[in-house]
Structures are given as structure tokens and as C-alpha cells.
């Protein structure tokens, strides 16, 4: 009888364990994923462009953990001739991604990507699909203002061209009032990237290479750091003084954080 009871308990325990495992597996499979886009300044000083991938991937490991970072941030998906880099991550990591972005030096900001395509018409279709499959997408709040920016890369748009693009994304059921200067709720951006001229080779400006509709999540806080750490405020400046942006990018690549000891063999004059 004792053996029978023990067998029943063991069987029930195994069944519960299997059920919990299956539930956890199903939960993992159904975990909400989001597409995020980083926007960088491709016209930065060449020095910083060379640092960008190393800085992004290093801080991703620091803030998201090595496993998540290596799964989402893959070098083969990165194009150093583009102003954009997109990753897919679990939505639960959005807070860490925002904190990471505020620290980045070679990136302007991170955006939630709603639709991306090679043409405006296709982006419009994908945006419509996104809204249908994400009924809870954040479209603003009553009584709070928002704005829709049109940002072009490697080509300028006239105000008339920008307004034509805004008209095409009016399918989004925006809530609130439009306010171009410092909106209270959120900022949406339509990014339009044209081919970049490399080594003097003429680029094709007849059509864009990428159209992306996004919602701003966070901007880099680098400008406040630059203002605080500018060379102009240093008591001594030598011929080998490192500019603040380069020094900060190097610190990020080294994953410097509170509690860590940093060894700098090239401190030189201490400037």
C-alpha cells in the first residue's frame, strides 16, 4: 500500500513537473517580442564611426546580459554604411534597452520600429498591418501633445515633401494635439534613408533605400556629458588630450560601471 501511495505521489509529481515545464515552454514561445531601431549619425567623425559596433555590442552585454545580447546583436546584421541598426528583443527588456541607449555615445537614440520597407507604399501597408496585429500600440494620450517628424538621411526634403509623407501615415489613429516643440506624450519619426556616398562615389538619390516608421523611446544623453566634460573646462590641455566623446566611447566599450576598477596604461600627463 505504501509503495502504491509513493508511486501515485511520484506519478502526480512527475505529471505536475511536466505540465509546469510545458507551461513554461509555451510561455517562453509566446513571449512578446518587439523590433527596435537604433539611429546613428553616419556623418560623425570617422573615429567615432569606427567605434560604433564595439560600443553598441559591449553595452548590450552589460545591460541585457551576454546571452540575450549575443542572440539579438549580431555583427552580420550590422551595416556600417547605414545610419540604422535594428534588433528584435523581448519586450520585458525595454527598460534596460532605454538605460543602455541613454549612455551610448555613437548613437542618437532608440526607437520602437512599427514598419520598415524599401518603398513608402510598402511601409504604409506594413504599418497598417502592425496596427491591426497590435491593437494596444501606443498612439498618444487625450490632452497630451505629440508630433510626427520626417527625418531624411543623405538627402534633404523640403517642407512640402515632408508634409506629403506625414499625410501618408495619417492612418495611425493618433490621440492628442500636434505640437512640434517638445511634445508631452511622444514623438513618432518616419526615417527615410538614401544611399550614402562612399569614397567619393556618386550615390543614387532617385529613390530611398529604406523607409521606417518608428516611435521614440529614448535619446542618448551624450550632449549633457559633452558639455560637462568639454576640453574647454580642463585645467590643463596637452597635445595628446583625448576628446570627451572618444574617451566616453572607450569607457563604454570597456563596460565601465560602478564598482569596477579601470586600469589606464596610457594616462600619460593625466590631461
Amino acid at each position: 500500500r505504501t509503495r502504491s501511495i509513493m508511486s501515485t505521489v511520484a506519478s502526480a509529481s512527475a505529471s505536475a513537473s511536466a505540465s509546469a515545464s510545458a507551461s513554461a515552454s509555451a510561455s517562453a514561445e509566446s513571449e512578446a517580442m518587439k523590433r527596435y531601431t537604433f539611429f546613428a549619425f553616419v556623418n560623425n567623425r570617422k573615429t567615432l564611426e569606427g567605434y560604433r559596433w564595439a560600443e553598441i555590442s559591449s553595452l548590450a552585454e552589460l545591460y541585457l546580459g551576454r546571452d540575450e545580447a549575443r542572440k539579438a546583436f549580431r555583427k552580420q546584421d550590422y551595416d556600417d554604411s547605414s545610419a540604422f541598426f535594428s534588433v528584435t528583443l523581448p519586450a520585458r527588456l525595454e527598460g534596460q534597452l532605454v538605460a543602455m541607449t541613454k549612455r551610448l555615445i555613437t548613437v542618437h537614440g532608440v526607437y520602437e520600429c512599427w514598419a520598415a520597407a524599401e518603398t513608402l507604399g510598402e511601409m504604409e501597408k506594413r504599418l497598417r498591418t502592425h496596427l491591426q496585429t497590435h491593437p494596444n500600440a501606443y498612439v498618444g494620450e487625450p490632452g497630451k501633445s505629440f508630433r510626427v517628424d520626417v527625418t531624411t538621411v543623405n538627402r534633404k526634403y523640403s517642407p512640402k515633401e515632408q508634409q506629403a509623407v506625414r499625410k501618408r501615415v495619417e492612418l495611425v489613429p493618433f490621440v492628442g494635439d500636434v505640437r512640434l516643440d517638445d511634445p508631452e506624450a511622444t514623438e513618432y519619426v518616419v526615417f527615410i534613408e538614401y544611399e550614402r556616398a562612399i569614397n567619393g562615389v556618386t550615390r543614387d538619390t532617385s529613390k530611398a533605400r529604406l523607409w521606417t516608421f518608428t516611435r521614440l523611446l529614448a535619446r542618448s544623453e551624450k550632449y549633457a556629458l559633452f558639455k560637462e566634460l568639454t576640453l574647454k573646462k580642463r585645467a590643463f590641455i596637452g597635445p595628446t588630450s583625448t576628446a570627451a566623446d572618444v574617451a566616453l566611447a572607450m569607457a563604454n566599450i570597456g563596460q565601465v560601471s560602478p564598482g569596477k576598477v579601470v586600469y589606464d596604461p596610457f594616462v600619460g600627463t593625466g590631461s
Side-chain angles (χ1 to χ4, degrees):
R1 183 184 177 90
T2 301
R3 285 199 192 95
S4 176
I5 294 173
M6 291 294 288
S7 177
T8 301
V9 170
S11 177
S13 176
S15 177
S17 177
S19 176
S21 177
S23 177
S25 176
S27 176
E29 287 179 8
S30 62
E31 183 174 27
M33 304 293 286
K34 281 188 179 182
R35 188 76 171 162
Y36 300 98
T37 296
F38 290 96
F39 172 49
F41 292 118
V42 293
N43 292 323
N44 266 350
R45 289 192 294 128
K46 291 293 182 184
T47 306
L48 289 184
E49 286 190 25
Y51 281 35
R52 190 179 305 126
W53 170 252
E55 186 194 28
I56 291 174
S57 56
S58 293
L59 284 190
E61 286 193 9
L62 182 65
Y63 281 83
L64 307 176
R66 179 169 293 185
D67 291 342
E68 290 285 3
R70 292 192 173 181
K71 253 191 313 187
F73 292 76
R74 304 187 309 167
K75 186 66 166 66
Q76 60 265 39
D77 298 331
Y78 178 76
D79 178 3
D80 59 7
S81 70
S82 174
F84 304 95
F85 174 60
S86 296
V87 297
T88 300
L89 283 169
R92 60 182 167 79
L93 295 176
E94 190 167 285
Q96 291 95 308
L97 191 68
V98 165
M100 164 190 159
T101 301
K102 288 181 178 180
R103 181 171 163 174
L104 283 167
I105 302 303
T106 59
V107 163
H108 176 63
V110 68
Y111 302 75
E112 183 183 345
C113 180
W114 288 15
E118 293 182 358
T119 66
L120 174 56
E122 185 59 33
M123 184 201 76
E124 193 177 356
K125 289 180 184 177
R126 293 182 182 182
L127 179 56
R128 196 181 300 278
T129 300
H130 177 86
L131 294 169
Q132 291 170 349
T133 56
H134 296 78
N136 296 320
Y138 183 76
V139 292
E141 296 177 38
K144 289 191 175 182
S145 55
F146 71 93
R147 77 179 180 196
V148 179
D149 277 348
V150 176
T151 299
T152 56
V153 179
N154 300 322
R155 188 191 148 181
K156 288 186 177 180
Y157 267 31
S158 67
K160 185 177 180 180
E161 288 176 307
Q162 292 180 32
Q163 190 56 29
V165 174
R166 289 191 183 94
K167 284 285 184 184
R168 297 289 291 271
V169 298
E170 286 182 351
L171 61 99
V172 179
F174 297 117
V175 176
D177 299 319
V178 175
R179 184 164 135 190
L180 298 180
D181 183 29
D182 194 22
E184 300 160 308
T186 192
E187 179 181 327
Y188 302 91
V189 185
V190 179
F191 286 112
I192 310 167
E193 184 179 36
Y194 285 79
E195 187 179 342
R196 181 186 182 191
I198 300 177
N199 298 326
V201 177
T202 304
R203 62 179 185 270
D204 179 12
T205 58
S206 61
K207 68 173 186 176
R209 63 185 283 188
L210 183 66
W211 295 76
T212 313
F213 184 92
T214 66
R215 182 174 74 88
L216 174 67
L217 292 180
R219 288 192 180 92
S220 166
E221 296 180 345
K222 58 187 172 185
Y223 296 113
L225 288 170
F226 293 167
K227 189 174 181 180
E228 179 185 348
L229 302 172
T230 175
L231 288 174
K232 295 177 183 177
K233 290 188 176 180
R234 295 189 190 177
F236 175 79
I237 300 178
T240 58
S241 295
T242 304
D245 53 358
V246 175
L248 288 164
M250 290 170 65
N252 286 343
I253 292 171
Q255 300 180 337
V256 176
S257 57
K260 288 189 176 180
V261 176
V262 179
Y263 172 64
D264 181 2
F266 307 107
V267 70
T269 61
S271 61

